[in-house]
Amino acid sequence: MPSSSRLTAEERRAAILEAALRLFSERGYRGTTTRALAEAVGVTEPVLYEHFRSKRDLYAAIVQAKCREGFQQGAAMLEPYARARDDWGLFTRLGEFILELYRNDPAYTRLLLFAVLEEPELGVLFYEHQHEGRQLLAGYIRRRIEEGAFRPVDPEVAARAFLGMFFHLGQVGVLYNDPLAQGRSKPVREIVEAMVRIFLDGLRNEQAQVPKQSCKEDRK
Amino acid sequence: MPSSSRLTAEERRAAILEAALRLFSERGYRGTTTRALAEAVGVTEPVLYEHFRSKRDLYAAIVQAKCREGFQQGAAMLEPYARARDDWGLFTRLGEFILELYRNDPAYTRLLLFAVLEEPELGVLFYEHQHEGRQLLAGYIRRRIEEGAFRPVDPEVAARAFLGMFFHLGQVGVLYNDPLAQGRSKPVREIVEAMVRIFLDGLRNEQAQVPKQSCKEDRK
DNA sequence: GCGGTTTCCTAGCGATCGCTAGGTTAGCAT
DNA sequence: ATGCTAACCTAGCGATCGCTAGGAAACCGC
């Protein structure tokens, strides 16, 4: 054998997690065998069990790690827009962020969808993070209503409406290789702006309509 | 044995399909064993194989049948609203229809999501039906734009925005037992109206804003 | 060079999977 | 009643599953 690189425990553990993420997101928990996992890592099965107590343990570790992804960095990124009351900037940035998340990491969607369907007690964890992010957005919308910028709608319903548009679009792009959702038929930026314009014009009080052209320049 | 009811071939076939739909939608294709299937039907495994050539055949029959559900009856139902140019009626009815579909038949969502994830070649069939329905809605929006009622947006993007709001809401309700999406925290009607109002106000030209109150009475 | 530790493999266990050969029984026409 | 067909079951095959006992081989300080 030429270069059967022997790794440290922690390097091997990382390699296992990486390969497992790929396989679990492609074929789900039940569709991924420990033999296939070992082969993908480049070792034999017993090696897996020196780093994880069971297949289930390995799966839970991956799902829980992925659950935490996305939401907090999204919240941090939007904070300056929220402080500046830049509705257009906040919602376009958020929309783009969601679509990019799906596009750059298709495994994310598939893994968590599989988890919700196959192992609900693991999937609920993901729901809680989702709920937290949604409450954050609803809080911003509520503030803007109190300030008179938005019409008096239920903030949580409005937040769901917005997130639904983009979550669904991203999901369709990952699951069906949909050309529009993947930005292959027109720029993602255009889609995001069109949707945000509909959403914001529907939400805003009459005095301040969103301009018809791209608003990239006149945000501040 | 008291009443081991012996059924005709076609009754038995229907019983198998019914039980299989339930199990496949709960646990997916790989998570459902032929033994569990036989037990749920109340027979032994060989009986299944007298009606379906393989487990895979049975699964494909169920998925294909479910794929066809929903879209054409939805299209027929909306036709009168489209002819009368009743935007408010059309979109509220469509929104309610989608949410009811998810709520009354949770197996629908789970089965097709499982199919898309586990067996993409079966799931694509569902995507095509979805695409067809979306094109129908985009066609209506395009007509309304040409008539000057809606602002000049990309009709397909607008259709996706609308469908995304409700598909995502319905999906969350089924997958996570979300209270709002299931209508347990406030009436479904209110949620639908709030979302449609945002969507239509964002889409319409300025002359005709949707009234602030419920528009059930002044549709025509 | 050499013992000791760590990393990895060979080989295979018991359980369960999809599926089937071949026999049994119920229900019908006659 | 009786024979025949269609509906159903018993028993088990070969393959594969998650997982593990016990040994081989690479790497370390010395």
Side-chain angles (χ1 to χ4, degrees), chain B residues 5 27 32 36 48-49 59 68 81 83 98 127-129 162 167 177 194 199 210:
Chain B
S5 57
R27 315 180 204 174
T32 301
L48 305 180
Y49 290 91
Y59 188 60
R68 277 179 260 284
Y81 296 101
R83 198 149 10 87
I98 292 172
Y127 175 69
E128 288 165 7
H129 283 266
F162 182 83
F167 280 153
N177 292 316
F199 178 76
V210 176

Side-chain angles (χ1 to χ4, degrees), chain A residues 16-33:
Chain A
I16 292 174
L17 282 172
E18 186 188 5
L21 169 62
R22 212 188 67 235
L23 288 191
F24 280 135
S25 72
E26 281 173 5
R27 314 179 204 174
Y29 178 68
R30 292 194 175 101
T32 301
T33 69

Side-chain angles (χ1 to χ4, degrees), chain A residues 159-178:
Chain A
R160 278 179 196 260
F162 182 83
L163 295 174
M165 295 191 304
F166 290 97
F167 280 154
H168 186 76
L169 191 62
Q171 186 175 302
V172 167
V174 170
L175 295 184
Y176 305 104
N177 291 317
D178 181 88

Side-chain angles (χ1 to χ4, degrees), chain B residues 13-195:
Chain B
R13 188 187 159 94
I16 293 173
L17 282 171
E18 187 189 4
L21 169 62
R22 212 190 68 235
L23 288 191
F24 280 135
S25 71
E26 281 173 4
R27 315 180 204 174
Y29 177 68
R30 292 193 176 103
T32 301
T33 70
T34 53
R35 286 197 228 285
L37 260 170
E39 195 186 2
V41 179
V43 294
T44 55
E45 290 180 82
V47 176
L48 305 180
Y49 290 91
E50 282 164 16
H51 298 277
F52 299 92
R53 295 209 347 272
S54 67
K55 178 190 175 186
R56 178 59 183 267
D57 253 40
L58 170 57
Y59 188 60
I62 289 176
V63 170
Q64 284 168 20
K66 274 287 170 186
C67 274
R68 277 179 260 284
E69 260 186 34
F71 291 104
Q72 57 275 66
Q73 76 217 53
M77 185 192 60
L78 296 178
E79 217 280 327
Y81 296 101
R83 198 149 10 87
R85 302 294 189 269
D86 179 2
D87 299 324
W88 174 261
L90 187 143
F91 284 105
T92 52
R93 195 71 203 84
L94 178 55
E96 266 188 326
F97 175 74
I98 292 172
L99 292 187
E100 277 167 16
L101 188 71
Y102 279 101
R103 221 159 70 104
N104 299 336
D105 194 1
Y108 180 79
T109 316
R110 293 184 58 93
L111 181 85
L112 292 176
L113 262 183
F114 260 126
V116 169
L117 288 170
E118 290 186 311
E119 311 282 338
E121 64 274 23
L122 281 179
V124 164
L125 198 64
F126 178 56
Y127 175 69
E128 288 165 7
H129 283 266
Q130 213 174 312
H131 184 72
E132 197 183 320
R134 192 166 53 220
Q135 289 307 105
L136 226 65
L137 186 64
Y140 177 77
I141 294 175
R142 179 176 295 111
R143 220 164 50 230
R144 294 295 281 158
I145 292 172
E146 287 166 3
E147 292 169 358
F150 290 168
R151 290 190 295 117
V153 299
D154 183 324
E156 186 163 353
V157 172
R160 277 178 196 261
F162 182 83
L163 294 174
M165 294 192 305
F166 289 97
F167 280 153
H168 185 75
L169 191 62
Q171 186 175 301
V172 167
V174 171
L175 295 184
Y176 305 104
N177 292 316
D178 181 88
L180 188 116
Q182 289 183 337
R184 285 189 282 113
S185 72
K186 60 166 20 188
V188 173
R189 181 81 206 172
E190 273 182 39
I191 301 170
V192 171
E193 289 186 355
M195 285 195 176

